[in-house]
Coordinates of all heavy atoms in Angstrom, one line a residue:
E224 N 2.0 -6.7 22.5 CA 1.6 -6.0 23.8 C 0.4 -5.2 23.6 O -0.2 -4.8 24.7 CB 2.8 -5.1 24.3 CG 4.1 -5.9 24.7 CD 3.8 -7.1 25.6 OE1 2.9 -7.0 26.5 OE2 4.6 -8.1 25.6
E225 N -0.1 -5.0 22.4 CA -1.2 -4.1 22.2 C -2.5 -5.0 22.1 O -3.6 -4.5 21.8 CB -1.1 -3.3 21.0 CG 0.1 -2.4 21.0 CD 0.1 -1.4 22.1 OE1 -1.0 -1.0 22.5 OE2 1.2 -1.0 22.7
G226 N -2.3 -6.3 22.3 CA -3.5 -7.3 22.1 C -4.0 -7.4 20.8 O -5.1 -7.8 20.5
L227 N -3.2 -7.2 19.7 CA -3.5 -7.3 18.3 C -3.7 -8.8 18.0 O -3.0 -9.7 18.4 CB -2.4 -6.8 17.4 CG -2.7 -6.8 15.9 CD1 -3.7 -5.8 15.6 CD2 -1.4 -6.5 15.2
L228 N -4.8 -9.1 17.3 CA -5.0 -10.4 16.7 C -4.8 -10.2 15.2 O -5.1 -9.3 14.6 CB -6.4 -10.9 16.9 CG -6.9 -11.0 18.4 CD1 -8.3 -11.6 18.4 CD2 -5.9 -11.9 19.2
V229 N -4.2 -11.3 14.6 CA -4.0 -11.4 13.1 C -4.6 -12.6 12.6 O -4.6 -13.7 13.3 CB -2.5 -11.3 12.7 CG1 -1.9 -9.9 13.1 CG2 -1.7 -12.4 13.4
I230 N -5.1 -12.6 11.4 CA -5.6 -13.7 10.7 C -5.3 -13.6 9.2 O -5.5 -12.5 8.7 CB -7.0 -14.0 11.0 CG1 -7.5 -15.3 10.3 CG2 -7.9 -12.8 10.5 CD1 -6.9 -16.6 10.9
D231 N -4.9 -14.8 8.6 CA -4.7 -14.7 7.1 C -6.1 -15.0 6.5 O -6.7 -16.0 6.8 CB -3.7 -15.8 6.8 CG -3.4 -16.0 5.4 OD1 -4.0 -15.2 4.6 OD2 -2.6 -16.9 5.0
S232 N -6.4 -14.2 5.6 CA -7.7 -14.4 4.8 C -7.7 -15.8 4.1 O -8.8 -16.2 3.7 CB -8.0 -13.3 3.9 OG -6.9 -13.2 2.9
A233 N -6.5 -16.3 3.8 CA -6.4 -17.6 3.1 C -6.2 -18.8 4.0 O -6.0 -19.9 3.6 CB -5.3 -17.5 2.1
D234 N -6.3 -18.6 5.3 CA -6.0 -19.7 6.2 C -7.1 -20.8 6.0 O -8.3 -20.6 5.9 CB -6.2 -19.2 7.7 CG -6.0 -20.3 8.7 OD1 -4.9 -20.9 8.7 OD2 -7.0 -20.5 9.4
K235 N -6.6 -22.1 5.9 CA -7.5 -23.2 5.6 C -8.6 -23.4 6.7 O -9.7 -23.8 6.5 CB -6.7 -24.4 5.3 CG -6.0 -24.4 4.0 CD -5.2 -25.7 3.8 CE -4.6 -25.7 2.3 NZ -3.7 -24.5 2.1
G236 N -8.1 -23.2 8.0 CA -9.1 -23.3 9.1 C -10.2 -22.3 9.0 O -11.4 -22.6 9.2
L237 N -9.9 -21.1 8.6 CA -10.9 -20.0 8.3 C -11.8 -20.4 7.2 O -13.0 -20.1 7.3 CB -10.2 -18.7 8.0 CG -11.1 -17.4 8.1 CD1 -11.6 -17.2 9.5 CD2 -10.3 -16.2 7.6
R238 N -11.3 -21.1 6.2 CA -12.1 -21.5 5.1 C -13.3 -22.4 5.5 O -14.4 -22.3 5.0 CB -11.2 -22.2 4.0 CG -10.3 -21.3 3.2 CD -11.1 -20.5 2.2 NE -10.2 -19.7 1.4 CZ -9.9 -18.5 1.6 NH1 -10.5 -17.8 2.5 NH2 -9.1 -17.8 0.7
N239 N -13.0 -23.3 6.4 CA -14.0 -24.2 6.9 C -15.2 -23.4 7.5 O -16.4 -23.7 7.4 CB -13.5 -25.2 7.9 CG -12.5 -26.1 7.2 OD1 -12.7 -26.5 6.0 ND2 -11.5 -26.6 7.9
I240 N -14.8 -22.3 8.3 CA -15.8 -21.5 9.0 C -16.6 -20.7 7.9 O -17.8 -20.5 8.0 CB -15.2 -20.5 10.0 CG1 -14.4 -21.3 11.0 CG2 -16.2 -19.6 10.6 CD1 -13.7 -20.4 12.0
E241 N -15.9 -20.4 6.8 CA -16.5 -19.5 5.8 C -17.4 -20.3 4.9 O -18.2 -19.7 4.1 CB -15.4 -18.8 5.0 CG -14.6 -17.8 5.8 CD -13.4 -17.3 4.9 OE1 -12.9 -18.0 4.0 OE2 -13.0 -16.2 5.2
Q242 N -17.4 -21.6 4.9 CA -18.0 -22.4 3.9 C -19.5 -22.1 3.7 O -20.0 -22.0 2.5 CB -17.9 -24.0 4.3 CG -18.4 -24.9 3.2 CD -19.9 -25.2 3.4 OE1 -20.5 -25.0 4.4 NE2 -20.5 -25.5 2.2
P243 N -20.3 -21.9 4.7 CA -21.7 -21.5 4.5 C -21.9 -20.2 3.7 O -22.8 -20.1 2.9 CB -22.3 -21.4 5.9 CG -21.4 -22.2 6.8 CD -20.0 -22.1 6.2
F244 N -21.0 -19.2 4.0 CA -21.1 -18.0 3.4 C -20.6 -18.1 1.9 O -21.1 -17.3 1.1 CB -20.4 -16.9 4.2 CG -20.9 -15.5 3.8 CD1 -22.2 -15.1 4.1 CD2 -20.1 -14.6 3.2 CE1 -22.7 -13.8 3.8 CE2 -20.5 -13.3 2.9 CZ -21.8 -13.0 3.2
F245 N -19.6 -18.8 1.7 CA -19.2 -19.0 0.3 C -20.4 -19.6 -0.5 O -20.5 -19.2 -1.7 CB -18.0 -20.1 0.2 CG -16.7 -19.5 0.3 CD1 -15.7 -20.0 1.2 CD2 -16.3 -18.4 -0.5 CE1 -14.4 -19.5 1.3 CE2 -15.0 -17.9 -0.4 CZ -14.1 -18.4 0.5
Q246 N -21.1 -20.5 0.1 CA -22.2 -21.0 -0.6 C -23.3 -19.9 -0.9 O -23.9 -19.9 -2.0 CB -22.9 -22.1 0.3 CG -24.1 -22.9 -0.4 CD -23.5 -23.8 -1.5 OE1 -22.6 -24.5 -1.3 NE2 -24.2 -23.7 -2.6
K247 N -23.4 -19.0 0.1 CA -24.4 -17.9 -0.1 C -23.9 -17.0 -1.2 O -24.7 -16.5 -2.0 CB -24.6 -17.2 1.2 CG -25.8 -16.3 1.3 CD -26.1 -15.8 2.7 CE -27.3 -14.9 2.7 NZ -27.7 -14.5 4.1
L248 N -22.6 -16.7 -1.1 CA -22.1 -15.8 -2.2 C -22.3 -16.3 -3.5 O -22.5 -15.6 -4.5 CB -20.6 -15.5 -1.9 CG -20.3 -14.7 -0.6 CD1 -18.8 -14.7 -0.3 CD2 -20.8 -13.2 -0.7
F249 N -22.0 -17.7 -3.6 CA -22.2 -18.3 -5.0 C -23.7 -18.3 -5.4 O -24.0 -18.0 -6.6 CB -21.7 -19.7 -4.9 CG -21.8 -20.5 -6.1 CD1 -21.2 -20.1 -7.3 CD2 -22.5 -21.7 -6.1 CE1 -21.4 -20.8 -8.5 CE2 -22.7 -22.5 -7.3 CZ -22.1 -22.0 -8.5
E250 N -24.6 -18.6 -4.5 CA -26.0 -18.6 -4.9 C -26.5 -17.3 -5.3 O -27.4 -17.1 -6.1 CB -26.8 -19.0 -3.6 CG -26.7 -20.6 -3.3 CD -27.3 -20.9 -2.0 OE1 -27.8 -20.1 -1.3 OE2 -27.2 -22.1 -1.6
H251 N -25.9 -16.2 -4.7 CA -26.4 -14.8 -4.9 C -25.4 -14.0 -5.8 O -25.4 -12.8 -5.9 CB -26.6 -14.0 -3.6 CG -27.7 -14.5 -2.8 ND1 -27.6 -15.6 -1.9 CD2 -29.0 -14.1 -2.6 CE1 -28.7 -15.8 -1.3 NE2 -29.6 -14.9 -1.7
S252 N -24.6 -14.8 -6.5 CA -23.5 -14.1 -7.3 C -24.1 -13.1 -8.4 O -23.6 -12.0 -8.6 CB -22.6 -15.1 -8.0 OG -23.3 -16.0 -8.9
D253 N -25.2 -13.5 -9.0 CA -25.8 -12.7 -10.0 C -26.3 -11.3 -9.4 O -26.0 -10.3 -9.9 CB -27.0 -13.3 -10.7 CG -26.6 -14.5 -11.7 OD1 -25.4 -14.6 -12.0 OD2 -27.4 -15.3 -12.0
S254 N -27.0 -11.5 -8.3 CA -27.6 -10.2 -7.7 C -26.5 -9.4 -7.1 O -26.6 -8.2 -7.1 CB -28.7 -10.7 -6.6 OG -28.1 -11.5 -5.6
I255 N -25.4 -10.0 -6.5 CA -24.3 -9.2 -6.0 C -23.6 -8.4 -7.1 O -23.4 -7.2 -7.0 CB -23.3 -10.1 -5.4 CG1 -23.8 -10.7 -4.1 CG2 -22.0 -9.4 -5.1 CD1 -22.9 -11.8 -3.5
T256 N -23.4 -9.1 -8.2 CA -22.8 -8.3 -9.4 C -23.7 -7.2 -9.9 O -23.2 -6.1 -10.1 CB -22.5 -9.3 -10.5 OG1 -21.5 -10.2 -10.1 CG2 -22.0 -8.5 -11.8
T257 N -25.0 -7.5 -10.0 CA -26.0 -6.5 -10.4 C -26.0 -5.3 -9.4 O -26.0 -4.1 -9.9 CB -27.4 -7.1 -10.6 OG1 -27.3 -8.2 -11.5 CG2 -28.3 -6.1 -11.0
S258 N -25.9 -5.6 -8.2 CA -26.0 -4.6 -7.1 C -24.7 -3.7 -7.2 O -24.8 -2.4 -7.1 CB -26.0 -5.2 -5.8 OG -27.2 -6.0 -5.6
V259 N -23.6 -4.3 -7.4 CA -22.3 -3.5 -7.6 C -22.4 -2.5 -8.8 O -22.1 -1.4 -8.7 CB -21.1 -4.4 -7.6 CG1 -19.8 -3.5 -7.8 CG2 -21.0 -5.1 -6.3
L260 N -22.9 -3.1 -9.9 CA -23.0 -2.3 -11.1 C -23.9 -1.2 -10.9 O -23.7 0.0 -11.5 CB -23.3 -3.3 -12.3 CG -22.3 -4.2 -12.7 CD1 -22.9 -5.3 -13.7 CD2 -21.1 -3.6 -13.4
K261 N -25.0 -1.4 -10.3 CA -26.0 -0.4 -10.0 C -25.4 0.7 -9.1 O -25.6 1.9 -9.4 CB -27.2 -1.0 -9.3 CG -28.3 0.0 -8.9 CD -29.4 -0.8 -8.1 CE -30.3 0.2 -7.5 NZ -31.4 -0.4 -6.6
Q262 N -24.7 0.3 -8.1 CA -24.1 1.3 -7.3 C -23.1 2.1 -8.0 O -22.9 3.3 -7.8 CB -23.4 0.6 -6.0 CG -23.0 1.5 -4.9 CD -24.2 2.0 -4.1 OE1 -25.3 1.4 -4.1 NE2 -24.1 3.1 -3.4
Q263 N -22.3 1.5 -8.9 CA -21.3 2.2 -9.7 C -22.0 3.2 -10.6 O -21.4 4.4 -10.7 CB -20.5 1.2 -10.5 CG -19.6 0.4 -9.7 CD -18.7 -0.6 -10.6 OE1 -19.2 -1.0 -11.6 NE2 -17.5 -0.9 -10.0
E264 N -23.1 2.9 -11.1 CA -23.8 3.9 -12.0 C -24.3 5.1 -11.2 O -24.2 6.2 -11.6 CB -25.1 3.2 -12.6 CG -24.7 2.2 -13.7 CD -23.9 2.8 -14.9 OE1 -24.3 4.0 -15.3 OE2 -22.9 2.3 -15.3
M265 N -24.7 4.8 -9.9 CA -25.1 6.0 -9.1 C -23.9 6.8 -8.8 O -24.0 8.1 -8.8 CB -25.7 5.4 -7.8 CG -27.0 4.7 -7.9 SD -27.6 3.9 -6.4 CE -27.7 5.2 -5.3
L266 N -22.8 6.2 -8.5 CA -21.5 7.0 -8.3 C -21.1 7.8 -9.6 O -20.7 9.0 -9.5 CB -20.4 6.1 -7.8 CG -20.5 5.5 -6.4 CD1 -19.6 4.3 -6.2 CD2 -20.2 6.6 -5.4
K267 N -21.2 7.2 -10.7 CA -20.9 7.9 -12.0 C -21.8 9.1 -12.2 O -21.3 10.2 -12.6 CB -21.1 7.0 -13.2 CG -20.0 5.9 -13.3 CD -20.3 5.0 -14.4 CE -19.3 3.8 -14.5 NZ -19.7 2.9 -15.6
E268 N -23.1 9.0 -11.8 CA -24.0 10.1 -11.9 C -23.6 11.3 -11.1 O -23.8 12.5 -11.3 CB -25.4 9.7 -11.5 CG -26.0 8.8 -12.6 CD -27.3 8.3 -12.1 OE1 -27.8 8.7 -11.0 OE2 -27.9 7.4 -12.7
N269 N -22.8 11.0 -10.0 CA -22.3 12.1 -9.1 C -20.9 12.5 -9.4 O -20.2 13.2 -8.7 CB -22.4 11.6 -7.7 CG -23.8 11.6 -7.1 OD1 -24.6 12.5 -7.3 ND2 -24.2 10.6 -6.4
G270 N -20.4 12.0 -10.6 CA -19.0 12.4 -11.1 C -17.9 11.6 -10.6 O -16.7 12.1 -10.7
Y271 N -18.1 10.4 -10.0 CA -17.0 9.6 -9.5 C -16.8 8.4 -10.4 O -17.7 7.8 -10.9 CB -17.3 9.2 -8.1 CG -17.4 10.3 -7.1 CD1 -18.6 10.7 -6.6 CD2 -16.3 11.0 -6.7 CE1 -18.8 11.8 -5.8 CE2 -16.4 12.1 -5.9 CZ -17.6 12.5 -5.4 OH -17.7 13.6 -4.6
H272 N -15.5 8.1 -10.6 CA -15.1 7.0 -11.5 C -14.9 5.8 -10.6 O -14.1 5.7 -9.7 CB -13.8 7.3 -12.2 CG -13.3 6.2 -13.1 ND1 -14.0 5.8 -14.2 CD2 -12.3 5.3 -13.0 CE1 -13.4 4.8 -14.8 NE2 -12.4 4.5 -14.1

Side-chain angles (χ1 to χ4, degrees):
E224 297 303 331
E225 304 301 326
L227 181 71
L228 301 183
V229 295
I230 184 64
D231 178 5
S232 61
D234 179 62
K235 289 181 174 58
L237 193 64
R238 287 285 186 261
N239 292 328
I240 301 174
E241 294 174 333
Q242 188 274 334
F244 200 64
F245 271 130
Q246 189 69 46
K247 193 169 185 177
L248 292 172
F249 179 56
E250 290 171 357
H251 291 81
S252 60
D253 289 345
S254 60
I255 289 171
T256 295
T257 301
S258 297
V259 174
L260 292 170
K261 175 186 172 184
Q262 193 74 24
Q263 288 182 334
E264 286 302 316
M265 292 170 60
L266 286 163
K267 287 177 184 176
E268 289 173 7
N269 287 316
Y271 298 105
H272 180 70

